[in-house]
Amino acid sequence: MLTALAPELALFALAVLVLLIGSLRRTGRGPAGWLTLAGLVATFALTFAVPEGTSLLNGSFVQDGLSLFATRLFLGSAALSVLASMTLRQAAFSRRSAEYHFAVIVSVLGMSVLASARELILLFVGFELMSIPLFLLTGFLKRDAVAPEAALKFFLVGTASSAVIVYGMSFVYGVTGSTSLAGIPAAMAEGHPLMMLGMAFLLAGLGFKIAAFPFHMWAPDTYQAASTPFVAWLSVAPKAAGFVAIIRLFVEGVGAAALIWMPAVAVLAGMTMVTGNLMAIPQQNIKRLLAYSGIAHIGYMLVGLAALSSSGVAMMLFYLVAYTFGNMGAFLVVQAVAQSEQSEGIDAYRGLAQRSPLLALAMLIFLLSLGGIPFVAGFWAKLYVFWAAIERGMYGLVFLGAIVTVVALYYYLLVARRMYIEAPERPEPVPVPGLLGAAIAVCVIGVVGMGLYPAPWVTLAMRVASTLFS
Amino acid sequence: MTGEALAFWGLAVILVGSALAVVLTKNLFHAVLWLALALTGTAGVFLLLDAEFLAAVQLLLYAGGIVTIVVFAIVVTERLVGERISQTSRRIAAGAIVAAGILAAVVSAVMERPLALERPPMESDLTQIIGETVMTRFVLPFELLAVLMLAGLMGAIYFARPDD
């Protein structure tokens, strides 16, 4: 029975171990970082031992294709972030290494519970378990000028959206008479107005969590203030968790009744793509630029979701993986440049190609992937979600998406132009710490690998999505 | 009007009135007192629905614990800042519009398709059943809440402790 819970139990044990070891030693960085990395990788391997399709507690906790897929995404991205964050120089990260990694592990635990939850209370507890450590991690540099304020903003928005989610859940419970998600499809098909109202609240609350328009305002401030290796992870894993929750609530087993949400999700997708891309253009801070571009990517993923078809959800999952590699990679390059230049402005990238050709090439690959240029992962991701939307006849949305993709290329190439065409202000290369370089290399391999050979990822995503519609 | 309906409308007036007072009073300390009244009113609603255990928990945790903590927070913050903090509720108009919209949506939904009014049969010892359910069907969220509390405490200590 406990095999279904194995990854969660392992994460809990790891969290306690890291905290205990941290309390034992008080000097230097300590082994917390390496222990966390090893534990996350071991848990990643452990997920392959969990038999797919097991469930616990009357089906309120399931390990199906979707939950295992998502859990591996959370674990892998967290491992990359931990690897890169070990190169952070600020004293807080070495002195309080145990606290930092404990929070990361607990947040991953929350995400993995969330991905497996088929019951409202467990879903909500998973959400909070994921979110509360994220507030701490955002404000981890507590003597910094901006980090505590960003953490507070993130906290207020996060708790407000949680309240909206619980309010929505109370309506769903009131109509279905059960906290199990299994009752949702029938109630949705029956179409009680209170049920629709509850689901609308849930969509709004989850919209906050994934930073979709018009609930996106918190993202740029939070990203700008928090430490970059953490932001690399914050910009992908909690978003993926939010999408999994949306799939569980709105798509899984709902069948044709889900189609009434299609216009709402399509409008949300269109607005999110347009807002993210247009707001990204004037940004002079690279982290804010990537934050707005991340909002736009949420919009593209919502296009796949709006199709509300097996292939649409599959392509959204494929997009999530491609976005994880591309976006994390870009943020990790930002970390390398920011640490060397003491600047997060896009002008810091002037002449990077002459100073550090490999780092510039890696950044170019990530930007091209985010922009959707052929032969890197992002191209297939965009092509596939648009394809899924066209199958549903959503030509207008795809047309809009294609236009804003061209807009997006403009601001990605603005950064590329600084790296490749403009002259450097200083001749010496940008030093890249070994561990950060390794994390960047993994992202490059992921982006290029998915770009050259997307087939296995597509097959995997299709298989995971098909179980949701049977 | 039955006694139950009378009690409900009485509680409703107290709840809505005190909740409005929480957001509209300038004096932060008064707002907390109104909040305590609102939370006690909620306990009254639970009592009306025969949920004595929930009513007791509501009083102990919210009207007792949470309100005390909020009072502490205000006192300590005012000492740190060295001035009286007053509540500023900006965008009252926008808030009123959103609240009215949600009210209209809920009322119209209930009018269109009324919910069942009869109460489900009450089990004998509700407290015992709650305890059993928490330790069986909801054991996983219950245990995870313990982890959540640990994480929350650690976060609070991290922010509160002085640098060494």
Side-chain angles (χ1 to χ4, degrees), chain A residues 185-244:
Chain A
M188 212 128 105
E190 202 253 335
H192 195 291
L194 274 183
M195 181 73 188
M196 295 300 132
L197 197 60
M199 294 304 269
F201 275 122
L202 281 171
L203 193 61
L206 291 167
F208 264 110
K209 303 278 183 197
I210 60 171
F213 178 88
F215 316 112
H216 61 278
M217 307 78 64
W218 60 272
D221 291 348
T222 308
Y223 289 9
Q224 191 181 0
S227 76
T228 313
F230 162 66
V231 170
W233 182 62
L234 177 70
S235 66
V236 294
K239 307 288 168 63
F243 272 110
V244 172

Side-chain angles (χ1 to χ4, degrees), chain A residues 13-73:
Chain A
L14 182 66
V16 174
L17 191 65
V18 165
L19 204 57
L20 281 179
I21 285 183
S23 67
L24 289 181
R25 63 183 288 160
R26 271 283 159 254
T27 52
R29 200 172 269 268
W34 285 108
L35 187 67
T36 306
L37 184 63
L40 291 173
V41 172
T43 313
F44 187 88
L46 188 64
T47 58
F48 289 93
V50 177
E52 217 170 276
T54 44
S55 74
L56 283 178
L57 304 164
N58 297 331
S60 60
F61 182 92
V62 292
Q63 290 288 16
D64 57 1
L66 178 65
S67 76
L68 288 171
F69 176 91
T71 303
R72 281 168 204 150
L73 185 69

Side-chain angles (χ1 to χ4, degrees), chain A residues 27 72 96 115 117 121 158 166 170 200 208 251 255 318 324 343 354 404:
Chain A
T27 52
R72 281 168 204 150
R96 298 277 166 245
I121 294 177
V166 177
S170 72
F208 264 110
V251 180
F318 180 89
T324 299
S343 159
Q354 291 176 42
V404 289

Side-chain angles (χ1 to χ4, degrees), chain B residues 41-103:
Chain B
T42 315
V45 174
F46 288 146
L47 265 186
L48 208 59
L49 294 168
D50 293 334
E52 297 90 359
F53 180 74
L54 267 189
V57 168
Q58 170 79 14
L59 276 181
L60 279 175
L61 275 185
Y62 286 88
I66 303 281
V67 167
T68 315
I69 292 174
V70 175
V71 170
F72 268 129
I74 293 173
V75 172
V76 171
T77 313
E78 284 191 341
R79 281 195 117 190
L80 276 179
V81 182
E83 58 179 285
R84 282 216 83 113
I85 311 167
S86 62
Q87 175 170 243
T88 45
S89 299
R90 277 172 296 166
R91 299 187 190 156
I92 287 184
I97 291 168
V98 171
I102 291 173
L103 178 71

